[in-house]
Amino acid sequence: MKNPMFWVLLTGMAILLIHQGLPVHSQGDSQTDNKVMDNITVRQGETVFLRCPQGDIVTHTAWLNRSSILYAGEDKWSVDPRVSLVTLNQEEFTIKIEDVDMTDEGPYICAVQTSRRPRTTSVHILIQVPPTIINLSKGIVVNEGSNVTLMCQASGKPEPSFTWKLLSPSGDLASEDEYLDIPSISRQRAGTYECTAVNDIATDVQTVEITVNYAPSVSEGRDVGVTLGQRGVLECEADAVPEADFEWYRDDRRIFNGFDGMEIEDAGQLSKLTFFNVSEADYGNYTCIAINKLGSSNTSFVLYEVIEPTSSTLLQGPGAVQDGNSGSMGTHVHTYTCLLLAILQFLLRF
Ligand SMILES: *[C@@H]1O[C@H](CO)[C@@H](O)[C@H](O)[C@H]1NC(C)=O
Ligand SMILES: *[C@@H]1O[C@H](CO)[C@@H](O)[C@H](O)[C@H]1NC(C)=O
Ligand SMILES: *[C@@H]1O[C@H](CO)[C@@H](O)[C@H](O)[C@H]1NC(C)=O
Ligand SMILES: *[C@@H]1O[C@H](CO)[C@@H](O)[C@H](O)[C@H]1NC(C)=O
Ligand SMILES: *[C@@H]1O[C@H](CO)[C@@H](O)[C@H](O)[C@H]1NC(C)=O
Ligand SMILES: *[C@@H]1O[C@H](CO)[C@@H](O)[C@H](O)[C@H]1NC(C)=O
Ligand SMILES: *[C@@H]1O[C@H](CO)[C@@H](O)[C@H](O)[C@H]1NC(C)=O
């Protein structure tokens, strides 16, 4: 069975074939019939069957991977356990390769020695690999205005293509590349970015977080009117990343929590200064300062007095009014005066 001359010829022929890039048709001057079969496309991990038609007058037959013999007849030459014989008879010579991988891609040749002349059949195995994102930028924290580039590298065959998406706030992004450039990033561009790598076989998706830091900006303080002895609350709201720390001042004097029946309560973007029982001395000008490592912002509030007609006044009528405008005037006049007072107080704030 093992005719040395045949194998020498075979190996030489195979090397020649590889060298010439697998000619589709035999050359006229050749003594060999060369046939090229359709490419076999198979996914990584699957099993591929290599089938070679024989003929009833075959004397020698072999399957080669490039120039190395996998099987010569029923003799296995390959040491690879994934390679095995399926069928060997007068019609066909079939071997299989299990759990194929990228390195198995390439030309495979079936060489047959008939009584007349040698014949080869070559087939090209193409391996497909699903995309896997192998190198994605880590989550980053940047200051507003920075130039940001995100990277998403993926393996896969065919070569994967990429899409980028900003998930929250949602929006598709222009890049169709491994790289996403975000020049001079704004706070609106902070969020979760999704990279999708896709090829003919599958898709891989991963996300990365961008945090954009910016200095606080506090919303303008609204002055608050409170009646003596009542509860009063000043609210200071700051938009900032990272979250701001708050400081409260009465004129130039810093106020601390628990001071004089006051309470300072911070919850995220909001700081509240509460007076549990407003006294005459509490009326005045307050300033809230929001601070983070990128800067600060402040606003001022005036806590002013509101004199409300007491409930007893309303119940007892004009006779009980304490402003001196009581007496013979009618209820209508009194109501009018009250209204005027309220308007006056409102105007005095400015
Ligand atoms: C088979 O695959 C090879 C390598 O990718 C390619 O050059 C060749 O054109 C393909 N042949 C056919 C018939 O598709
Ligand atoms: C085919 O040859 C290549 C290159 O030598 C090798 O890496 C691969 O494992 C071989 N595959 C089989 C099934 O023999
Ligand atoms: C990921 O990409 C970076 C930057 O290009 C490179 O330095 C690093 O080696 C890559 N890591 C892997 C696992 O490919
Ligand atoms: C961002 O990129 C622009 C244009 O390339 C450049 O002019 C600018 O200096 C960069 N900014 C920073 C903060 O690196
Ligand atoms: C508020 O303070 C005044 C004066 O100190 C006091 O008379 C009054 O009882 C207090 N009211 C409450 C609800 O604590
Ligand atoms: C309150 O205080 C701030 C800071 O001291 C000052 O800028 C602002 O003009 C004051 N407002 C009033 C109404 O006095
Ligand atoms: C408040 O902000 C103004 C600018 O808006 C700034 O000039 C001032 O110094 C700030 N005041 C404090 C106490 O930080």
Side-chain angles (χ1 to χ4, degrees):
M1 182 79 181
K2 278 183 187 151
N3 171 354
M5 278 314 290
F6 173 67
W7 301 120
V8 169
L9 176 72
L10 196 65
T11 311
M13 200 165 67
I15 290 165
L16 206 70
L17 279 172
I18 304 301
H19 236 73
Q20 293 178 345
L22 301 174
V24 177
H25 299 292
S26 61
Q27 304 302 303
D29 56 359
S30 172
Q31 288 291 84
T32 310
D33 280 334
N34 297 329
K35 205 169 134 240
V36 175
M37 293 202 292
D38 285 343
N39 287 342
I40 300 176
T41 299
V42 61
R43 290 186 191 184
Q44 185 182 41
E46 290 183 346
T47 297
V48 63
F49 289 85
L50 299 177
R51 190 179 165 278
C52 180
Q54 304 291 290
D56 37 22
I57 35 175
V58 169
T59 58
H60 297 96
T61 182
W63 266 111
L64 292 87
N65 170 8
R66 293 157 222 273
S67 57
S68 55
I69 296 164
L70 297 176
Y71 264 92
E74 59 189 7
D75 296 331
K76 184 174 174 183
W77 286 40
S78 167
V79 294
D80 193 330
R82 299 173 303 134
V83 180
S84 58
L85 180 64
V86 178
T87 312
L88 177 58
N89 58 30
Q90 291 195 336
E91 282 78 47
E92 67 172 88
F93 177 25
T94 304
I95 63 167
K96 68 175 177 187
I97 307 166
E98 289 167 282
D99 190 21
V100 293
D101 207 344
M102 289 293 286
T103 54
D104 297 323
E105 184 163 294
Y108 288 76
I109 298 147
C110 173
V112 174
Q113 175 71 63
T114 66
S115 54
R116 285 182 294 133
R117 55 179 177 171
R119 165 165 63 81
T120 68
T121 306
S122 66
V123 58
H124 204 100
I125 298 182
L126 297 171
I127 311 288
Q128 288 188 328
V129 182
T132 307
I133 294 171
I134 48 169
N135 204 355
L136 180 68
S137 298
K138 299 266 178 297
I140 50 167
V141 177
V142 294
N143 293 343
E144 196 168 41
S146 304
N147 295 331
V148 174
T149 300
L150 292 181
M151 178 192 61
C152 179
Q153 290 177 335
S155 62
K157 250 186 120 272
E159 199 75 20
S161 60
F162 297 88
T163 54
W164 288 93
K165 205 173 175 181
L166 175 54
L167 294 184
S168 51
S170 73
D172 284 321
L173 302 160
S175 179
E176 309 225 312
D177 198 56
E178 290 172 284
Y179 295 95
L180 175 68
D181 287 318
I182 312 167
S184 188
I185 195 165
S186 67
R187 60 193 71 182
Q188 289 78 24
R189 286 264 168 243
T192 305
Y193 284 77
E194 183 185 79
C195 167
T196 304
V198 59
N199 70 9
D200 296 348
I201 15 181
T203 298
D204 192 21
V205 181
Q206 283 196 26
T207 59
V208 55
E209 206 77 37
I210 300 184
T211 304
V212 177
N213 286 342
Y214 52 92
S217 65
V218 293
S219 8
E220 188 144 357
R222 283 191 303 119
D223 294 347
V224 171
V226 180
T227 307
L228 208 61
Q230 297 290 298
R231 180 190 171 90
V233 181
L234 298 179
E235 287 190 344
C236 179
E237 198 175 350
D239 180 20
V241 176
E243 251 169 27
D245 292 323
F246 293 92
E247 289 177 2
W248 284 92
Y249 292 84
R250 164 74 192 268
D251 301 316
D252 291 331
R253 201 160 45 86
R254 174 105 187 248
I255 299 167
F256 293 95
N257 199 9
F259 227 62
D260 277 345
M262 297 174 197
E263 184 188 65
I264 297 170
E265 209 181 349
D266 295 347
Q269 302 209 316
L270 193 68
S271 180
K272 280 196 219 176
L273 173 62
T274 303
F275 303 85
F276 291 109
N277 179 357
V278 171
S279 70
E280 199 69 56
D282 289 334
Y283 295 122
N285 186 0
Y286 292 84
T287 301
C288 158
I289 307 180
I291 304 161
N292 73 6
K293 61 183 176 186
L294 293 186
S296 69
S297 167
N298 67 69
T299 189
S300 292
F301 311 72
V302 174
L303 183 71
Y304 63 91
E305 183 171 9
V306 173
I307 300 164
E308 277 173 358
T310 60
S311 54
S312 59
T313 317
L314 294 174
L315 285 173
Q316 291 167 16
V321 178
Q322 294 147 352
D323 59 12
N325 279 342
S326 56
S328 54
M329 294 192 190
T331 315
H332 281 80
V333 178
H334 172 254
T335 313
Y336 178 73
T337 315
C338 271
L339 229 124
L340 212 83
L341 261 172
I343 291 168
L344 210 70
Q345 265 165 8
F346 180 77
L347 289 174
L348 275 172
R349 290 167 45 206
F350 298 96

